[in-house]
């Protein structure tokens, strides 16, 4: 693959969206929807979010005016792109009774062609984590695989960090290193301009169709420097290399009791997380027993049924569920998949109604293991 | 329906309630015929005048116990039924009429009725499970019709009904709603309420009212703290917890504790 970096303005951006649509992609990008920036269908560049920022803090999200007219300045969208690849609910199979026997019909609906446009480096990393779990483990998830093959990823590198972001410490951002087809870095010098870098053959082929000048070395450097500035803005961090040791050493720490009292066990953190992949299956049958269905739904380790084995749930207390969650994200995921289950997007902090902060909880364990 | 053609006998009983849950059963339309074909409806005044004597395989009980007569009748119902299932917030938690449990009901009767002597009522509205053992409690105000079908179908073939006890937030997020608690600071009971409605209110930009009662591990105390921080007053929070499931202990406790904060 020829490494390709070009420079274009809003005309080039418009052209990129048109090209994607022309190739049959449904373009999903950051869009103002009610009181938040959300991932939604984009018809043209006009649907994106110029001049919008988001203020985030534990348990709080507010859309706000931005200091400049950037299109990609609003931080991570309210939800991660997970739902477009790993559907929140899917029918896996149907069984029909027929002449005393039954027939199983597997229905795998055709995967839609989706372009994830302007998603953040943390989200790109989140998709890579899902790939590791759902495509490159002992079992492949066919639904995920089909959707993944039909996905085109246009990352938007971050030039500002939100308050709850900590991707720098997780080494997943603010600039995406891999996992995208095209990565954009936006600059504003009187007008909006973009450094567009190809990350795949598909991406390079797409860029080749846009009228744009090659990006000169100084433009590349200046664009990337903005991401370094965004990195320096981050106040939260997790030392993921030490995480496993710290957590395993502190399994009986008092901090778990304290967070167990605050936690609602509502599951919002796992639902919002770009990497949480857990599902449950739900069977149902029609009253006359002629028809049965198996569906798959996003599940969460915060539910009691999640740890149900013969005789009851293993994790009955909220404390034990929170501990499972944080331990899986930062420690056990490393044992299972050789990387963390957290990419530092900060959504579990922002979208936790109780404002529980994974970085703060980890820091509390960490400080006591140091002393 | 068993292979020998035996149809389980089902009866539907009403106590203090609005009939909404029974209507949910009638509202099952397409599925109702299939359900009706699989069972023998023995007693269901809302739907048919037919009365077949017990014992019954399944008794569906709607409504709470509010009179001496109710308290006696529920004992008879329990004796007549192999499986007793309560349907709805009244039968399961005492209903909105349990608001009287914090008031002087005798005084209310005197205020409301011209001839209070004809009114015979208990001081409290209480759920069925406070009077007799209950085999399954189906939540909701009103119950969800697909839950009813699932519950009846599962009971008929002897499997566990697939009715989750986790929070409304799980449905809210799966459905792709924006969290109005986090994005707007709205009071929302979703985190402490059992799923079942499909997160209907948050989808329409309203906080969850708690129709399905406390979820499996409802942390109403922590949610009270959240709502106070988001600017709700103690009064508002008390009213939030005191609706259809006011007498469910987790909501009851939260509504009493908030005064002391
Ligand atoms: S940490 Fe927050 S979002 Fe997660 S279950 Fe607990 S209260 Fe809900
Ligand atoms: S654990 Fe939290 S910060 Fe980490 S990836 Fe998941 S939602 Fe983002
Ligand atoms: S943190 Fe919980 S929900 Fe998320 S992947 Fe791990 S076990 Fe599953
Ligand atoms: S709007 Fe309510 S139900 Fe939905 S996620 Fe937020 S707190 Fe939960």
């Amino acid at each position: 693959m020829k490494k390709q970096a070009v420079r274009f303005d809003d005309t080039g951006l418009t052209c990129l969206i048109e090209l994607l649509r022309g190739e049959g992609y449904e373009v999903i990008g950051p869009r103002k929807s009610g009181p938040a920036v959300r991932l939604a269908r984009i018809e043209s560049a006009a649907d994106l979010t110029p001049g919008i920022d988001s203020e985030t803090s534990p348990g709080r999200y507010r859309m706000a005016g931005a200091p400049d007219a950037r299109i990609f300045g609003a931080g991570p969208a309210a939800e991660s792109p997970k739902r477009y690849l790993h559907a929140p609910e899917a029918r896996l199979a149907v069984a029909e009774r027929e002449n005393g026997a039954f027939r199983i019909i597997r229905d795998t609906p055709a995967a839609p062609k989706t372009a994830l446009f302007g998603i953040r480096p943390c989200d790109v990393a989140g998709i890579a984590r899902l790939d590791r779990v759902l495509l490159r483990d002992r079992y492949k998830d066919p639904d995920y695989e089909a959707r993944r093959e039909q996905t085109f990823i246009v990352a938007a590198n971050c030039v500002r960090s939100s308050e709850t972001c900590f991707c720098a410490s997780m080494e997943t951002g603010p600039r995406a290193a891999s996992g995208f087809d095209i990565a954009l870095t936006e600059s504003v010098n009187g007008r909006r301009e973009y450094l567009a870098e190809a990350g795949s053959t598909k991406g390079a082929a797409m860029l080749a169709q846009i009228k744009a000048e090659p990006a000169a070395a100084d433009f590349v450097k200046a664009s990337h420097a903005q991401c370094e500035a965004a990195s320096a803005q981050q106040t939260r961090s997790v030392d993921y290399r030490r995480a496993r040791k710290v957590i395993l050493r502190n399994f009986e720490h008092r901090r778990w009791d304290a967070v167990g009292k605050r936690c609602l066990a509502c599951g919002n953190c796992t639902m919002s997380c770009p990497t949480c992949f857990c599902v449950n299956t739900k069977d149902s049958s029609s009253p006359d027993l002629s028809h049965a269905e198996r569906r798959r739904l996003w599940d969460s380790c915060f539910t009691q049924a999640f740890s149900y084995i013969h005789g009851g749930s293993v994790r009955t207390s909220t404390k034990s569920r929170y501990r499972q969650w944080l331990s899986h994200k930062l420690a056990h995921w490393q044992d299972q998949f050789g990387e963390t289950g957290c990419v530092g997007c900060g959504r579990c902090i922002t979208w936790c109604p109780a404002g529980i902060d994974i970085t703060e909880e980890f820091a509390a364990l960490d400080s006591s293991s140091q002393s | 329906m068993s292979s020998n053609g035996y149809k389980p006998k089902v009866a539907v009983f009403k106590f203090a309630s609005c009939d909404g849950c029974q209507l949910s059963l009638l509202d099952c339309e397409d599925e109702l015929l299939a359900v009706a074909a699989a069972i023998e409806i023995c007693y269901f005044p809302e739907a048919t005048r037919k009365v077949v004597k017990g014992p019954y395989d399944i008794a569906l009980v709607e409504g709470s116990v509010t009179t001496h007569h109710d308290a006696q009748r529920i004992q008879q119902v329990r004796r007549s039924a192999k499986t007793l299932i309560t349907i709805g917030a009244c039968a399961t938690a005492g209903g909105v009429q349990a608001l009287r449990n914090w008031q002087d009901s005798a005084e209310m009767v005197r205020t409301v009725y011209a001839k209070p002597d004809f009114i015979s009522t208990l001081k409290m509205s209480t759920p069925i499970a406070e009077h007799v053992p209950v085999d399954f409690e189906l939540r909701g105000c009103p119950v969800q019709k697909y839950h009813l079908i699932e519950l009846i179908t599962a009971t008929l073939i002897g499997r566990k009904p697939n009715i989750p006890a986790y929070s409304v937030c799980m449905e809210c997020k799966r459905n792709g709603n924006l969290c109005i608690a986090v994005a707007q600071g709205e009071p929302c009971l979703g985190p402490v309420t059992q799923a079942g409605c499909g997160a209907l209110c948050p989808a329409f930009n309203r906080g969850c009212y708690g129709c399905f009662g406390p979820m499996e591990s409802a942390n109403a105390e922590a949610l009270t703290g959240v709502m106070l921080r988001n600017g709700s007053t103690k009064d508002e929070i008390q009213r939030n917890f005191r609706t259809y499931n006011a007498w469910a202990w987790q909501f009851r406790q939260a509504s009493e504790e908030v005064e002391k904060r």
Side-chain angles (χ1 to χ4, degrees), chain A residues 262-270 302 322 325 348 351-356:
Chain A
R262 291 174 63 207
C263 175
L264 305 160
C266 61
N268 272 305
C269 46
T270 62
F302 280 94
Y322 186 85
W325 175 73
C348 59
W351 298 99
C352 167
I356 295 173

Side-chain angles (χ1 to χ4, degrees), chain B residues 96-114:
Chain B
V96 72
Q97 60 273 29
L99 288 176
R100 73 152 100 164
N101 300 1
W102 282 280
Q103 308 291 330
D104 180 346
S105 64
E107 196 198 309
M108 282 204 292
V109 166
R110 282 193 300 275
T111 318
V112 172
Y113 295 97

Side-chain angles (χ1 to χ4, degrees), chain A residues 215-230:
Chain A
D218 62 338
F219 182 68
V220 174
K221 206 168 152 210
S223 298
H224 288 176
Q226 301 180 95
C227 303
E228 279 139 40

Side-chain angles (χ1 to χ4, degrees), chain B:
Chain B
M1 199 180 343
S2 65
S3 50
N4 62 10
Y6 173 76
K7 288 185 175 184
K9 295 168 83 172
V10 177
V12 184
F13 296 96
K14 175 188 156 63
F15 286 77
S17 62
C18 76
D19 285 30
C21 292
Q22 295 185 59
L23 285 173
S24 299
L25 186 56
L26 291 175
D27 191 32
C28 292
E29 290 162 6
D30 298 343
E31 299 86 353
L32 191 63
L33 290 175
V35 173
I39 59 179
E40 185 188 357
I41 295 182
C42 297
Y43 181 76
F44 188 4
E46 185 107 344
T48 166
R49 261 181 293 176
K50 180 172 114 178
V51 177
V52 179
K53 274 217 156 104
Y56 308 112
D57 293 286
I58 302 176
L60 297 174
V61 178
E62 178 196 82
S64 67
V65 173
T66 57
T67 64
H68 298 284
H69 178 234
D70 285 349
Q72 286 163 2
R73 195 158 58 95
I74 191 60
Q75 300 296 336
Q76 288 167 16
V77 169
R78 178 67 269 194
R79 277 197 295 273
S80 75
K82 269 195 227 164
T83 301
L84 189 156
I85 296 170
T86 60
I87 55 171
C90 300
T92 301
V96 72
Q97 60 273 29
L99 288 176
R100 73 152 100 164
N101 300 1
W102 282 280
Q103 308 291 330
D104 180 346
S105 64
E107 196 198 309
M108 282 204 292
V109 166
R110 282 193 300 275
T111 318
V112 172
Y113 295 97
K115 290 203 191 307
D117 351 354
F118 294 116
I119 307 291
S120 156
T121 183
L122 294 168
K123 281 205 177 88
M124 306 241 263
S125 166
T126 45
I128 301 300
E130 280 194 25
H131 299 265
V132 295
V134 170
D135 298 295
F136 194 91
E137 295 186 317
L138 190 66
R139 305 284 200 81
C141 185
V143 293
Q144 231 266 12
K145 63 181 189 176
Y146 295 107
H147 278 182
L148 262 176
I149 306 274
E150 165 64 9
L151 181 59
I152 294 172
T153 309
T155 309
L156 291 180
I157 60 173
R159 70 168 166 82
K160 193 168 166 267
N162 208 330
I163 293 169
Y166 50 60
S167 70
V168 171
C169 299
M170 296 274 292
E171 294 184 316
C172 197
K173 281 281 185 292
R174 281 200 296 248
N175 290 355
N177 295 340
L178 183 75
C179 177
I180 57 170
V182 168
Q184 285 164 267
E186 285 291 318
C188 179
L189 292 187
V192 296
T193 300
Q194 182 171 308
C197 61
L200 194 58
C201 292
F204 289 95
N205 228 13
R206 293 296 307 254
C208 164
Y209 292 97
C211 305
F212 281 68
M215 56 83 110
E216 56 193 5
S217 51
N219 189 348
E221 192 188 340
L223 187 67
T224 301
V226 170
M227 293 197 286
L228 285 170
R229 276 197 300 283
N230 282 340
S232 290
T233 65
K234 292 181 186 183
D235 255 22
E236 286 165 347
I237 294 171
Q238 185 170 69
R239 278 201 299 275
N240 272 314
F241 281 115
R242 286 192 187 164
T243 60
Y244 327 103
N245 289 284
W247 203 243
W249 73 264
Q250 297 93 326
F251 288 5
R252 177 169 88 208
Q253 196 175 52
S255 76
E256 288 166 0
E257 295 289 318
V258 65
E259 286 173 349
K260 300 179 212 150
R261 292 181 69 135

